[in-house]
Structures are given as structure tokens and as C-alpha cells.
Amino acid sequence: MKVELEHLVKRFGGENVIDDVSFSVETSALALIGSSGGGKSTLLRMLGGLLPATSGSIRMDGRLVPKTERECIAFRRTLGYVFQQGNLFQHLSAQENIALVLREVHGWTKEAADARAFELLAHFGLAEHADKHPSELSGGQQQRAAIARAVAPRPKLLLLDEPTSALDPEYTAEVLDLTAQLRGEGIEFVIVTHEMAFARDVADQVIFMDGGVIVEQGDARQVIERPREERTRQFLSRYEESSAAGSEP
């Protein structure tokens, strides 16, 4: 995928959350890192057509991300989304959570949707939990089901917004391992993450954001292990200290 931003601005209540950002990157796995409130999740939602730009433009593989709601609906159908809490429908089984979206959003038949849903649950180690509701699943299982739902229609790109932020270390490892597996299967993604080892080892490119601007971008291992900018070094140093203390930076 090729992502191009030109003078992108997103303003909430008079404050620029994304502040005149321009960059171009070609990658199959992009990680957005930085402190909370730095603009990462806002940028991810703008890439996915969930938030319109105040000004500026975004191109994904040369295609301008639309700004009208009508055009955005069609654009969103080409992408898969995974959010912090998974956002599974609590009244539906894991299998029906996946099948419903395939039927109602993408026009699949019931038979094809059910088969695809079970195929993915089995692939992600959830076959025996297909009939369970989200409340009967662990946090890691819920996120795996949410990822299965996101990739079910075979999207061009998967967008993940801190999918492990609400999980304990064991379930965090589950979800990150699954994301790495998807990368190995050729699925392209952009992920907002606080997991620096994952960003270093699985992403091709990393963007470090702070205060609504891009402070540093480049090869994932270079940015994480040999950052060029002092602000990046400060963030990573604080991250290491926070990780040692068991908290987020």
C-alpha cells in the first residue's frame, strides 16, 4: 500500500489534533506509535474514512479518500477495522458476529457467510467457541473474533486501533501473535500500538507522532532501536521505564 498525506489537518473545537501533516510511505505493515493524545488514533480513523479532514488530503494507493458520507460508505467496505474493545455484538454468537456483517454489509448469502465465519474461527483457534456469546469469551478470544470479523470480507487493508490496550499480557501476546500471522499471510495493515517490540519486529515502517505532528518516520527497526530525533528517544526511554514499572507511558 502507498499512503500519501498532503497538509492534512483535523480540528476539534478549535484545536488542531492533526496539525498540517504531510508524508508519503509505501509499506505493507505500518505502525503508528507515540504518547496518548498525540493524534495516532485520529489519523488512523481518517485513513479509514471514519473521520473527515478539516483540510488537506489523503491518498491510499493513489485513490483519494473521499470526504462525503455517501462516498465513504463504499470506501469503508474495502477495509477491515479492529478497535480497542473489539465492539462485538453482545447478543450474537461469535459466528453470527462475523456472518451478519458479511450478509448485511457485503451481500453474501447466508450459507456462504456462515461457512466463511466458521472457517475463520477455526483458523484462529476458536472453532469450539463459535456458538458462544462475547460475554462467554476471554478478552483475547473476543479480540481474535473481532479480527476474524474484520478480515472476513477479504479487505484490501486492515486498520487496528490499539487492539491490545484493554488486555492483560497473556491475551496481548495472543492478539499480537495473530496479527503477525496475518502479516505472514499477506494481509496489509496499519496499527496504532504501544507495543514497541511488536512494532519493531512485525511492521515495515514506523511513524512516531507527538502533538498532532509526525516527529519521525522510517524503517521500523531503525526508528525503535536507533531513533534520530531527540523527542523520539525521550518517548522510547520513557516507554522502557514505564514497561519496567508495569504501566503505559
Side-chain angles (χ1 to χ4, degrees):
M1 64 179 164
K2 186 174 185 179
V3 182
E4 301 169 279
L5 275 57
E6 290 188 10
H7 300 293
L8 190 68
V9 173
K10 181 60 182 179
R11 187 175 297 117
F12 290 115
E15 177 184 355
N16 286 355
V17 180
I18 301 295
D19 193 3
D20 195 21
V21 169
S22 297
F23 76 88
S24 176
V25 63
E26 193 158 0
T27 175
S28 59
L30 174 64
L32 305 178
I33 65 171
S35 300
S36 297
K40 308 181 301 299
S41 293
T42 298
L43 178 57
L44 186 81
R45 289 168 183 264
M46 294 175 76
L47 293 177
L50 297 173
L51 281 177
T54 302
S55 61
S57 65
I58 304 172
R59 291 184 182 274
M60 305 287 284
D61 287 330
R63 179 186 178 188
L64 193 65
V65 175
K67 296 182 179 180
T68 68
E69 181 61 22
R70 181 177 180 181
E71 292 175 315
C72 276
I73 290 173
F75 175 73
R76 292 175 199 139
R77 287 176 180 156
T78 69
L79 307 175
Y81 302 88
V82 181
F83 301 104
Q84 294 181 23
Q85 302 296 334
N87 292 348
L88 294 174
F89 300 115
Q90 296 298 309
H91 64 293
L92 299 178
S93 68
Q95 183 170 358
E96 185 61 12
N97 258 282
I98 301 168
L100 177 68
V101 173
L102 291 175
R103 295 195 312 268
E104 299 300 323
V105 177
H106 300 280
W108 291 43
T109 65
K110 183 180 187 307
E111 293 74 16
D114 287 344
R116 174 65 171 161
F118 189 79
E119 171 196 352
L120 283 170
L121 289 172
H123 185 55
F124 294 163
L126 294 170
E128 64 186 276
H129 304 295
D131 294 328
K132 292 182 180 178
H133 287 69
S135 62
E136 301 173 282
L137 303 175
S138 70
Q141 289 167 343
Q142 289 184 45
Q143 280 297 58
R144 277 189 278 157
I147 293 173
R149 182 175 64 182
V151 302
R154 301 182 177 90
K156 294 181 179 179
L157 179 66
L158 186 61
L159 302 177
L160 304 105
D161 189 5
E162 299 190 39
T164 63
S165 66
L167 304 178
D168 65 26
E170 179 184 359
Y171 297 141
T172 291
E174 278 186 22
V175 172
L176 293 179
D177 286 347
L178 175 57
T179 307
Q181 175 186 326
L182 293 173
R183 168 78 195 284
E185 294 171 2
I187 292 180
E188 297 185 328
F189 65 81
V190 180
I191 185 169
V192 173
T193 183
H194 285 290
E195 301 294 333
M196 296 303 110
F198 175 84
R200 178 195 64 206
D201 296 337
V202 178
D204 290 328
Q205 295 281 313
V206 163
I207 287 175
F208 168 59
M209 295 189 68
D210 186 54
V213 301
I214 292 174
V215 176
E216 185 166 353
Q217 74 174 88
D219 174 80
R221 192 164 290 274
Q222 174 266 306
V223 172
I224 300 297
E225 295 184 345
R226 301 180 302 279
R228 298 187 178 96
E229 300 296 328
E230 177 60 26
R231 180 67 189 91
T232 313
R233 288 193 288 269
Q234 291 172 354
F235 166 76
L236 292 170
S237 176
R238 195 169 78 246
Y239 168 79
E240 292 176 359
E241 293 171 358
S242 299
S243 296
S247 61
E248 263 188 22

